[in-house]
Amino acid sequence: MPRPVHWSRRGRDAIRARLSGRGQQSEMLESLLAFGGLVLLRDSIEWEGRDFLKALIKQSALCGEQIHVLGCEISEEEFREGFDSNINSRVVYHDLFRDPLNWSKNEAFPRGPLEALRAMCRPTDLRPVTIALDSLSWLLLHFPCSTVCQTLHALCRQGDSSPVERVNVLGLLHEELHAAGPLGALSSLAQIEVTLDGTMGRTSAHILYRKPRHRPAHQVDPTAHLTFNLRLSKKERETRDSLTLPFQFSSEKQQALLCSEPSQASSHIFYEPDAYDDLDPEDPDDDLDI
Amino acid sequence: MADRSGYQQMTALGRSRLKGKLTLLCDAKTDGSFLVHHFLSFFLKAKCKVCFVALVQSFSHYNIVGQKLGVSLTTAWERGQLVFLEALKTSLDIFFQTPAGPHPLQFLREASARNLQPLYAFVQEALKPEDGGEATWRHPVLLVDDLSVLLSLGVRAVAVLDFIHYCRATVCTELKGNLVALVHDSGDAADEENDLLVSGLSHQSHLILRAEGLATGFCKDVHGQLKVLWRRPSQAAAQRDRSLTYQYKIQDKTVSFFAKGLSPAVL
């Protein structure tokens, strides 16, 4: 790390801890990579996140994983600065920097960057275990938020099918470029969210761990453990099912309406004209020729 | 702190690391164009090949100011050192007739789906290395004054960011040259496109020079303050200060810089 970073953790599953020293730093980085899923790195203009991203990549490489980098913002040469040959051999850089929109018509990514990203999802012999997105902001600016989120979700779910091979997706996000909506959507997708901040020239990283998803082993019975009875006996259930609702139009109602004859005089109007009424016995519609 | 010529001081700040970099000039509540004039004269004096995309002022305006700073734009243009896109004049070609081929300011005619690819092609052509033999000029420089006006002309902020991205890939990474662009920061929360543009450019930049008016208002002796922010530090530069603030006063032929609160007029 070029600059000393002090770590502080906050959040539901976190404790405040002040760490220093290389051993503790690599421990912290390892813990970020332990869960799999999306690790969201939020940085700002003043506190850049690329160094942190590269530190995580280094840690991944040291653990023997292969890393695929989707590089949209800086050149491969600049990205690989600071990596020794051992780490460089484990990093595959997909260069989206030179010609992301295919202006030179070289077709480096024939079906677009998102398709290249989805290709990393599909299992191959050398299955990628860490995917680094530099940056997620670039993808969000060029593709609809929903598409990006769906692609990310598909990427992260690769790890779910077999718990042994987890997939880490590291996404670098520039906070100032996006509205609250996309930021919130990505937050909810992320397993871990790291926000970079700093004071007095020292960068600090705030780490938020989300609780792992709970999948219930059995269906919870909502009617259990209540002070009132929500259960129905068999007879009560039958009575309830056979009940006809008053405003429901059933065949019986239809018959009742059709069978009633107007001459039966079920309704009759009694009208008492007063002095000002002008009752004309003639039918005003008589001259109509229909 | 001593009253060195401001330009000498600024070049001393940036000289060692100013190759292959994007420098963003930003102004907020003041006019930061003095920085554009400085960089133009600096690079011309340094015998660099300069491509200047001038979207807001005429050639003669920059020439007059350049002469005060000791460079002749006309001479530079005549000998091929300066490629000048005078948008105010060239846009007439676009407005009143259909151009025969692709034109750098083609986006002015297009109703929608504008990208700045023709403008990028112009820059690429202007700064491409000379074929064979020695290069007459040192590393190429692209200067843009200014990018906010593109938003006013209907270009989307993402399109401007893409244009700068491509220019950076060609000019900075491939040709190891420099890119200097001016953008106005309105500070207005309602102008989301401009905010996106300024933030996006800031993230792409290596050096941000931000000229601001003084918080206390207009002053005769101190015209504003300049914040310098270095980004994307390489390993070697990690130890230096990342951010500095100077106050400045623009004079007829130079700009003097001094530390905050230490203007000669005050001391």
Side-chain angles (χ1 to χ4, degrees):
Chain A
M1 297 288 288
R3 195 176 312 120
V5 181
H6 102 256
W7 314 92
S8 75
R9 295 161 70 171
R10 61 165 168 79
R12 292 175 290 214
D13 298 336
I15 45 168
R16 245 179 218 288
R18 219 192 173 104
L19 303 172
S20 60
R22 204 168 285 272
Q24 283 172 314
Q25 279 184 12
S26 71
E27 206 181 277
M28 173 56 76
L29 292 172
E30 251 184 81
S31 71
L32 291 177
L33 297 168
F35 293 99
L38 175 64
V39 178
L40 198 63
L41 272 177
R42 296 166 65 138
D43 76 347
S44 56
I45 294 167
E46 221 186 323
W47 308 104
E48 292 173 71
R50 194 161 286 116
D51 285 339
F52 196 113
L53 180 70
K54 285 169 79 164
L56 282 172
I57 289 174
K58 249 190 204 171
Q59 190 63 38
S60 264
L62 289 171
C63 295
E65 297 172 1
Q66 196 182 35
I67 301 110
H68 286 253
V69 181
L70 190 74
C72 316
E73 295 199 341
I74 60 174
S75 65
E76 182 169 358
E77 196 188 316
E78 201 177 332
F79 194 86
R80 288 188 187 270
E81 249 175 64
F83 287 160
D84 61 32
S85 57
N86 187 27
I87 296 171
N88 264 323
S89 61
R90 293 193 174 277
V91 173
V92 179
Y93 193 84
H94 301 262
D95 193 347
L96 249 181
F97 171 70
R98 288 209 181 273
D99 190 7
L101 306 172
N102 201 28
W103 283 2
S104 65
K105 307 273 181 262
N106 276 343
E107 299 280 346
F109 290 92
R111 282 173 303 174
L114 276 190
E115 198 49 53
L117 198 53
R118 284 187 202 113
M120 292 184 210
C121 286
R122 288 165 208 137
T124 53
D125 294 320
L126 299 161
R127 193 145 164 249
V129 188
T130 300
I131 300 171
L133 302 171
D134 178 17
S135 62
L136 253 181
S137 285
W138 192 92
L139 292 173
L140 271 181
L141 286 177
H142 291 85
F143 298 101
C145 181
S146 51
T147 318
V148 176
C149 288
Q150 279 165 8
T151 312
L152 281 177
H153 188 65
L155 271 179
C156 297
R157 280 204 77 82
Q158 277 307 104
D160 289 350
S161 48
S162 59
V164 177
E165 285 190 61
R166 67 177 198 288
V167 176
N168 281 315
V169 180
L170 313 173
L172 182 62
L173 192 68
H174 306 308
E175 281 189 319
E176 299 99 341
L177 304 184
H178 310 289
L183 285 178
L186 286 172
S187 265
S188 62
L189 270 180
Q191 284 293 104
I192 300 172
E193 210 174 305
V194 182
T195 309
L196 291 172
D197 204 340
T199 45
M200 307 292 287
R202 295 188 71 195
T203 320
S204 63
H206 300 268
I207 305 172
L208 181 68
Y209 290 83
R210 290 187 189 278
K211 284 193 173 134
R213 282 176 299 239
H214 289 296
R215 286 191 190 82
H218 57 275
Q219 282 285 37
V220 178
D221 183 12
T223 59
H225 310 299
L226 293 170
T227 55
F228 46 90
N229 183 20
L230 274 182
R231 293 199 180 94
L232 292 173
S233 70
K234 191 156 171 274
K235 196 159 176 302
E236 284 168 342
R237 199 180 292 277
E238 277 170 15
T239 321
R240 190 188 74 168
D241 288 341
S242 61
L243 187 66
T244 43
L245 296 169
F247 298 103
Q248 198 173 353
F249 194 72
S250 60
S251 55
E252 291 91 4
K253 266 229 169 99
Q254 193 180 24
Q255 289 302 317
L257 285 170
L258 289 172
C259 288
S260 67
E261 289 162 16
S263 62
Q264 290 266 323
S266 55
S267 63
H268 200 85
I269 300 172
F270 295 94
Y271 181 67
E272 300 261 341
D274 60 10
Y276 300 101
D277 265 334
D278 179 23
L279 285 176
D280 187 358
E282 254 180 44
D283 185 0
D285 296 326
D286 218 5
D287 55 354
L288 279 179
D289 184 20
I290 301 168
Chain B
M1 199 193 94
D3 192 16
R4 289 165 71 178
S5 153
Y7 293 139
Q8 283 172 352
Q9 208 163 42
M10 284 220 321
T11 51
L13 279 177
R15 181 178 290 134
S16 56
R17 290 174 287 157
L18 211 50
K19 234 182 150 196
K21 305 278 190 249
L22 166 59
T23 302
L24 183 68
L25 309 174
C26 188
D27 62 19
K29 296 201 176 94
T30 190
D31 184 14
S33 55
F34 71 94
L35 293 165
V36 174
H37 295 298
H38 157 68
F39 277 103
L40 179 60
S41 64
F42 170 66
F43 284 120
L44 284 175
K45 283 182 192 166
K47 302 214 181 338
C48 294
K49 177 101 189 263
V50 177
C51 175
F52 191 178
V53 176
L55 298 169
V56 280
Q57 298 283 8
S58 63
F59 181 84
S60 52
H61 171 89
Y62 294 106
N63 199 19
I64 291 168
V65 181
Q67 275 166 4
K68 287 190 186 172
L69 297 175
V71 288
S72 166
L73 293 195
T74 322
T75 317
W77 175 66
E78 277 164 3
R79 62 185 185 204
Q81 187 189 6
L82 175 66
V83 178
F84 197 97
L85 176 66
E86 190 176 353
L88 289 173
K89 209 167 77 171
T90 327
S91 57
L92 296 175
D93 301 336
I94 284 278
F95 286 135
F96 297 118
Q97 57 217 30
T98 322
H103 193 281
L105 301 179
Q106 211 166 302
F107 62 89
L108 290 171
R109 275 189 85 92
E110 290 161 10
S112 66
R114 305 163 188 226
N115 65 27
L116 295 171
Q117 188 179 354
L119 189 57
Y120 164 69
F122 169 83
V123 169
Q124 201 180 15
E125 183 62 36
L127 290 178
K128 71 168 190 239
E130 291 159 16
D131 298 328
E134 299 161 17
T136 325
W137 312 110
R138 292 173 63 198
H139 60 270
V141 174
L142 171 63
L143 202 53
V144 186
D145 179 20
D146 64 63
L147 291 171
S148 297
V149 83
L150 289 172
L151 293 184
S152 314
L153 291 169
V155 186
R156 303 293 315 279
V158 179
V160 182
L161 289 174
D162 287 337
F163 164 69
I164 292 290
H165 176 109
Y166 269 89
C167 289
R168 190 164 55 98
T170 305
V171 178
C172 298
T173 307
E174 198 183 311
L175 301 174
K176 303 277 184 276
N178 286 316
L179 215 177
V180 180
L182 175 66
V183 72
H184 299 299
D185 188 1
S186 57
D188 186 5
D191 195 348
E192 288 168 2
E193 285 277 295
N194 200 45
D195 283 344
L196 174 60
L197 179 63
V198 176
S199 304
L201 287 171
S202 303
H203 274 286
Q204 289 193 41
S205 313
H206 297 90
L207 176 63
I208 304 176
L209 296 175
R210 196 184 160 87
E212 297 172 340
L214 293 177
T216 44
F218 177 74
C219 170
K220 190 165 62 89
D221 298 302
V222 179
H223 291 154
Q225 72 185 13
L226 188 74
K227 283 191 180 154
V228 182
L229 178 66
W230 278 281
R231 294 188 76 252
R232 293 165 63 173
S234 60
Q235 297 283 359
Q239 305 308 317
R240 292 175 62 161
D241 289 330
R242 292 173 64 247
S243 159
L244 288 172
T245 307
Y246 290 99
Q247 289 180 339
Y248 63 86
K249 178 178 180 182
I250 303 175
Q251 291 157 338
D252 189 41
K253 293 191 177 182
T254 185
V255 175
S256 51
F257 290 86
F258 33 85
K260 275 166 98 163
L262 295 175
S263 157
V266 170
L267 292 173

